């Protein structure tokens, strides 16, 4: 199974790079500078050169608040890019694994969302990702869309790293405790993508849309407390993370109050699920602090 991955410089792309090389899987991973998913010639050339069995789209515009001021760019990267990838995959008879988001939902459902629940994005980012899902479905039958959530890992920028940095310098700060979701480690998400890719390469993937997110529910405040607790034994820092409301932390984009995803359908089809988010959070914090110690 050979993979062609777009968006290789992001959190997920870099995790996929490490995992494919660790498992000695043939993979070509291209960052935006090497292939912009909005550039037809660049994408065609990449596909023709790599001749992959499966294409993975890890590229996206992910700045949730900034998207409110840059809708054209968000739609270009989250709708038009995936549309082009799906069109080129269809022309070459290739399957596409495309990553989407919990923010396609409005958060009013009290229980975790299943794949068949109606979408109703609250902001530009969610709307652009939802449009990308539709664009893929309309152009390519052999697709797997994986909706995931609250992504964190050792690469790139994410909430977990922000909390570790705050713990270095602040004694106290507030984190919203009335939005809940599933923190998802890039390591689990990348492993899920490779499991789907293996099946897609054999032609036995269950095509369609799936939810895949970290096991267990958290509020941002729960997530922050776990991160701070995990770093404390190493750094000796025990700051106070206060629970605040969304109203006390206004942001440009509105976020869903509940964006928990039910990953049961993915587990039943692909036979795997993510590790519990608290365990994974501790693993990632430990890995980051160990790396920082080595560099010091
Ligand atoms: N991060 C989250 O919490 C979260 C939550 C739910 C779902 N997701 C989804 O998970 C996937 C992976 O997200 P992530 O956290 O790895 O995102 P990320 O760290 O922001 O990485 C996205 C990468 O895509 C690149 N990119 C953007 N537009 C591109 C284009 N036109 N052509 C090629 N590359 C382009 C970006 O490059 P530049 O840096 O140059 O822009 C960046 O390297 C995305 O589909 C995202 O929507 C993420």
């Amino acid at each position: 199974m050979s993979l062609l991955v777009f968006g290789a410089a992001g959190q997920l792309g870099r995790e996929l790079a490490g995992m494919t090389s660790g498992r000695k899987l043939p993979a070509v991973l291209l960052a935006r500078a090497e292939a912009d998913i909005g550039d037809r010639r660049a994408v065609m050339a990449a596909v023709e050169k790599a001749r992959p069995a499966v294409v993975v789209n890890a590229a996206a515009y992910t700045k949730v608040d900034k998207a409110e001021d840059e809708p054209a760019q968000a739609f270009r990267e989250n709708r038009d890019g995936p549309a082009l990838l799906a069109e080129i995959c269809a022309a070459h008879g290739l399957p596409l694994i495309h990553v989407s988001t919990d923010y396609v939902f409005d958060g009013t459902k009290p229980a975790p969302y299943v794949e068949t629940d109606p979408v109703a994005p609250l902001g530009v980012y969610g709307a652009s990702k939802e449009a990308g899902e539709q664009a893929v479905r309309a152009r390519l039958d052999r697709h797997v869309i994986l909706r995931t959530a609250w992504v964190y890992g050792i690469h790139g920028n994410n909430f977990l790293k922000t909390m570790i940095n705050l713990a270095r310098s602040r004694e106290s700060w507030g984190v919203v405790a009335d939005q809940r979701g599933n923190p998802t480690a890039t390591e689990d998400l990348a492993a899920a993508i490779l499991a789907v890719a293996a099946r897609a390469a054999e032609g036995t993937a269950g095509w369609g849309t799936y939810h895949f997110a970290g096991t267990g529910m958290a509020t941002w405040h729960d997530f922050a407390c776990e991160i701070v607790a995990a770093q404390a034994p190493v750094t000796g820092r025990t700051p106070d993370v206060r629970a605040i409301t969304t109203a006390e932390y206004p942001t440009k984009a509105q976020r869903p109050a509940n964006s928990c995803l039910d990953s049961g359908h993915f587990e039943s089809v692909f036979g795997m699920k993510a590790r519990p988010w608290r365990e994974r959070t501790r693993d990632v914090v430990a890995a980051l602090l160990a790396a920082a110690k080595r560099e010091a």
Side-chain angles (χ1 to χ4, degrees), residues 6-15 30-39 43 57-64 73 76-78 81-82 85 98-103 125 129 146-152 155-159 182 184 186 189 193 220 261:
F6 293 95
Q11 292 194 79
L12 173 60
R14 289 169 68 187
E15 191 73 53
L30 302 174
R32 184 207 284 268
E34 295 154 312
D36 187 312
I37 60 166
D39 180 340
V43 173
N57 182 27
Y61 180 105
T62 58
K63 299 174 213 90
V64 176
Q73 200 181 335
R76 190 186 91 83
E77 292 171 7
N78 290 342
L85 289 183
H98 173 67
V99 184
S100 191
T101 175
D102 53 336
Y103 281 14
Y125 167 72
K129 292 292 290 184
L146 286 185
R147 291 190 187 129
T148 192
W150 296 26
V151 176
Y152 66 96
H155 303 294
N157 296 317
N158 54 55
F159 178 85
N182 309 110
T184 306
T186 49
L189 180 58
I193 288 172
W220 290 110
L261 299 176

Side-chain angles (χ1 to χ4, degrees), residues 81-277:
L84 182 62
L85 289 183
E87 186 190 318
I88 291 174
C89 283
H92 287 76
L94 291 171
L96 173 67
I97 302 172
H98 173 67
V99 184
S100 191
T101 175
D102 53 336
Y103 281 14
V104 297
F105 296 115
D106 68 7
T108 54
K109 185 180 174 183
Y113 282 90
V114 294
E115 290 80 352
T116 48
D117 282 325
V119 295
L122 295 175
V124 169
Y125 167 72
S128 67
K129 292 292 290 184
E130 200 270 320
E133 292 186 1
Q134 285 192 40
V136 170
R137 287 187 199 111
R139 286 164 181 77
L140 182 68
D141 291 336
R142 294 203 309 149
H143 68 260
V144 170
I145 294 171
L146 286 185
R147 291 190 187 129
T148 192
W150 296 26
V151 176
Y152 66 96
I154 58 172
H155 303 294
N157 296 317
N158 54 55
F159 178 85
L160 181 144
K161 286 187 174 179
T162 303
M163 292 302 113
I164 289 183
N165 287 337
L166 284 172
R168 282 198 186 103
S169 56
R170 302 259 288 266
E171 298 309 323
S172 172
W173 67 93
V175 177
V176 296
D178 55 0
Q179 292 171 27
R180 60 190 194 280
N182 309 110
T184 306
T186 49
E187 200 174 335
D188 289 331
L189 180 58
I193 288 172
L194 295 188
V196 174
R199 294 271 294 273
E202 291 167 359
T204 59
W207 310 114
T209 301
Y210 295 86
H211 292 172
F212 180 86
T215 297
M217 185 271 281
T219 66
W220 290 110
H221 179 256
D222 295 332
F223 191 20
C225 288
E226 192 69 30
I227 296 161
V228 165
Q231 60 79 54
V234 181
T235 64
R237 304 269 312 153
T238 55
D240 175 35
V241 183
R242 288 175 287 106
I244 61 171
T245 63
T246 298
E248 289 173 273
Y249 189 77
T251 53
K252 191 115 193 180
Q254 197 189 338
R255 285 156 170 80
N258 169 37
S259 65
C260 291
L261 299 176
D262 182 331
S263 301
H265 181 46
F266 183 92
E267 190 185 352
S268 68
V269 173
F270 293 100
M272 67 174 286
K273 65 178 190 177
R275 293 246 310 276
W277 71 266

